[in-house]
Amino acid sequence: MTRENASGNTDDYCNILGLEEDSPLLREDFIFGVATAAFQIEGASDVDGRVPCIWDTFCAEPGRVANGDDGSRACESYRRWEQDLGLVQDLGVDAYRFSIAWPRVITDLHGTVNQLAMDHYRRQLDFLNERGIKPFVTLYHWDLPQYLQERGGWLNRDTAYAFAHYADVVSQAFGDRVFSYGTLNEPWCSAFLGYLYGIHAPGIRDRKQAYQAAHHLLLAHGLAVPKIRVNAPAADVGIVLNISPSDPLENSLADRNACLLADMENRDLFLQPLLEGCYPEPVLNRHPESAPLVLPGDMALISAELDFLGLNYYTRNRVGAADNDAGYVTPPYDGADATDMGWEIFPQGLTRTLRHLARHPRTPALYVTENGMASADRLEVDDQGKGVVNDNARVRYLQRHLQAAEVALASGVKLRGYFAWSLLDNFEWAEGYNKRFGLYYVDYATQQRTPKASALALKALMQLRRKSLTKQ
Ligand code: FCB
């Protein structure tokens, strides 16, 4: 583990992420990266012609976001982008996963393109490419333009076509400057947290709407894929899903069946259309009144071949049977080994989920596109007056999950890379700025960034890898 007084010298951190020099994760072609998303870090919500998005609206509604926080300032990364990309470079990672803000790029219902925003992202891509850092671009990380929400948001089929236009504009302009295009980040969250549980924008609670939103999100993905392929033939195209495996609260038949239900609704409702071109029958049979309207041709678009599937992995779900609409509940975790989000730390679930995904013959190459933990980090000052953050729990979390990824890789899973969430502390959606996921600590008052022990540990791991590769 890290020394008490982290000096900032990465030698102190050598190999604390626990990988041996001959680990398959340290091979040259395995991609290490860090991830962020536009709304969570950019701020500058009215700069250079950006229009409002559903999260601006949601934040403005009392009681939606902790402390009434919003994204207007965040980490000011729109303005400080060069500094932040410098941090990525300093870590020595191979790739940076970030999202482009749809409400900056397309500013009205007519599809008008905002050149200032395009120039901004082009500069970021050039910066990364010039330094050999692979840009992994997410096109939709939840910031739906408000003008589309006014027309029904993801309940309106036209939104899927609007997304395809936006994807076309971006991929035409940036083409192969982007190494990898991810269409959607976690459509489960957009559909279920946004339209069923009401805890994300637009804050609706209605199963039928959630299922329809899910279908239109997947359709948006399916319409965008062929456009990106034409515009960026050398780039990878894929999608990112959040999957938490389910385990029964008690080892009873009822709870085990509840797990099957939960996995089908939360995982297979998204995975099966992508891999097999159909929705899981048991889900539709359980909720026939909520079945989405699907038009001929939709499922073929949705199940087009992908270059990669991104997995965002944080925890597992403990599931119990319940006499409610869903047929199951996932009570909050009350164990001691929870993160600051209250999520159970369960690295074995990463191995299990990767293996589960790899079993399907149509699964493309896999990436862990997000993994990390929130902790109540504190900025301290060391003997030399330097800022330090001893986030030892995060170091341990990353170590255990990297080892879990290594186990999956060693058993034949086509795992191509791993991204830590997140580069910086940032706006954690309904939790606002309370929850810190960053490798870099952000002091929101001064906007100063300080590497935490976890950042230094990742940097040391990248140095170790370079050393062992040059030896070969
Ligand atoms: C994921 C989101 C990401 C971040 C992490 C903690 O669901 O993709 O934006 O909030 O959770």
Side-chain angles (χ1 to χ4, degrees), residues 30-336:
F30 189 85
I31 294 175
F32 275 93
V34 288
T36 61
F39 191 84
Q40 295 178 274
I41 64 165
E42 283 184 348
S45 50
D46 55 3
V47 173
D48 286 350
R50 180 190 181 275
V51 297
C53 78
I54 54 174
W55 269 93
D56 298 305
T57 312
F58 195 67
C59 291
E61 291 171 14
R64 295 295 205 179
V65 174
N67 302 319
D69 289 345
D70 64 36
S72 57
R73 190 166 177 221
C75 309
E76 296 185 351
S77 285
Y78 188 76
R79 183 155 70 79
R80 299 172 185 269
W81 66 271
E82 220 167 326
Q83 180 190 359
D84 289 342
L85 296 190
L87 301 180
V88 176
Q89 185 186 6
D90 192 53
L91 287 172
V93 290
D94 312 294
Y96 178 47
R97 175 175 178 254
F98 65 104
S99 80
I100 288 182
W102 187 354
R104 290 193 192 280
V105 169
I106 309 287
T107 51
D108 59 29
L109 273 180
H110 309 291
T112 305
V113 179
N114 176 7
Q115 211 42 59
L116 289 174
M118 295 301 282
D119 292 346
H120 171 79
Y121 291 115
R122 180 176 287 112
R123 280 193 290 271
Q124 289 207 30
L125 291 170
D126 289 346
F127 183 105
L128 293 168
N129 282 319
E130 278 158 20
R131 286 157 184 82
I133 302 167
K134 295 180 170 60
F136 277 60
V137 162
T138 308
L139 290 170
Y140 184 62
H141 204 125
W142 309 353
D143 44 1
L144 186 75
Q146 184 62 31
Y147 60 80
L148 290 172
Q149 189 61 37
E150 246 101 86
R151 301 284 177 114
W154 289 111
L155 301 177
N156 185 342
R157 196 177 161 90
D158 292 345
T159 297
Y161 290 88
F163 177 76
H165 166 67
Y166 156 61
D168 194 23
V169 165
V170 169
S171 56
Q172 215 171 81
F174 299 149
D176 296 335
R177 280 187 168 95
V178 172
F179 181 83
S180 156
Y181 287 92
T183 52
L184 309 177
N185 177 71
E186 303 187 354
W188 178 88
C189 290
S190 303
F192 279 61
L193 297 183
Y195 288 84
L196 179 59
Y197 301 117
I199 55 178
H200 278 187
I204 293 167
R205 289 165 179 264
D206 182 298
R207 185 178 304 275
K208 187 169 174 56
Q209 294 191 32
Y211 284 22
Q212 191 62 60
H215 180 66
H216 287 153
L217 280 152
L218 289 169
L219 178 64
H221 158 83
L223 289 166
V225 168
K227 306 231 185 256
I228 304 169
R229 290 220 182 276
V230 169
N231 295 333
D236 280 353
V237 188
I239 188 169
V240 170
L241 301 182
N242 56 306
I243 301 177
S244 299
S246 298
D247 279 321
L249 277 174
E250 282 173 24
N251 192 12
S252 64
L253 184 61
D255 284 6
R256 288 203 302 274
N257 283 336
C259 284
L260 296 179
L261 260 183
D263 282 343
M264 263 185 285
E265 192 180 44
N266 299 314
R267 178 191 66 201
D268 300 342
L269 194 67
F270 296 87
L271 194 58
Q272 203 169 323
L274 292 164
L275 297 182
E276 296 174 14
C278 59
Y279 286 107
E281 282 295 323
V283 178
L284 300 186
N285 290 342
R286 184 174 173 92
H287 303 285
E289 71 298 336
S290 297
L293 179 67
V294 177
L295 297 189
D298 286 3
M299 300 315 288
L301 283 167
I302 292 170
S303 56
E305 193 180 334
L306 298 177
D307 300 316
F308 79 93
L309 178 64
L311 166 67
N312 291 353
Y313 180 83
Y314 289 94
T315 186
R316 70 167 158 177
N317 289 326
R318 301 301 292 265
V319 177
D323 194 12
N324 59 11
D325 185 35
Y328 63 88
V329 282
T330 51
Y333 182 65
D334 59 5

Side-chain angles (χ1 to χ4, degrees), residues 14 36 193 206 359 388 412 423:
C14 225
T36 61
L193 297 183
D206 182 298
R359 272 201 290 275
V388 291
L423 173 67

